[in-house]
Amino acid sequence: MDQPAAQPTIPVTDLLNADSTNQLDLITEVEKQVEKALDQLQSTGILQPQNRMTIESLLNLADEVHHMEQATEGDICQAVLDA
């Protein structure tokens, strides 16, 4: 039986306490680890190539971007008050 893929790990405190240059390096490293994990899932057949999404598209879904462009300050304030 194959070993499960190693989980990407970077402590949150490293991200919170890092200066801006170091923080960008940590974010880049995390992105590389996520891409590697996705590659492993795809190589084993768990993730189909046609279903793979980029990190950018996962974090910035088109529907959310569309809604954000149409939201007014009043809409945002009302959503916060309703929550």
Side-chain angles (χ1 to χ4, degrees), residues 44-64:
T44 61
I46 295 171
L47 176 63
Q48 299 298 313
Q50 65 270 23
N51 293 333
R52 185 165 177 165
M53 296 174 70
T54 64
I55 294 173
E56 182 72 26
S57 63
L58 286 168
L59 296 177
N60 301 310
L61 297 175
D63 289 342
E64 290 180 8

Side-chain angles (χ1 to χ4, degrees), residues 58-74:
L58 286 168
L59 296 177
N60 301 310
L61 297 175
D63 289 342
E64 290 180 8
V65 171
H66 178 71
H67 291 299
M68 286 181 59
E69 290 173 353
Q70 292 182 343
T72 65
E73 283 187 32

Side-chain angles (χ1 to χ4, degrees), residues 5 34-48:
V34 169
E35 286 293 335
K36 183 178 177 183
L38 291 172
D39 289 341
Q40 290 174 338
L41 289 172
Q42 190 171 328
S43 71
T44 61
I46 295 171
L47 176 63
Q48 299 298 313

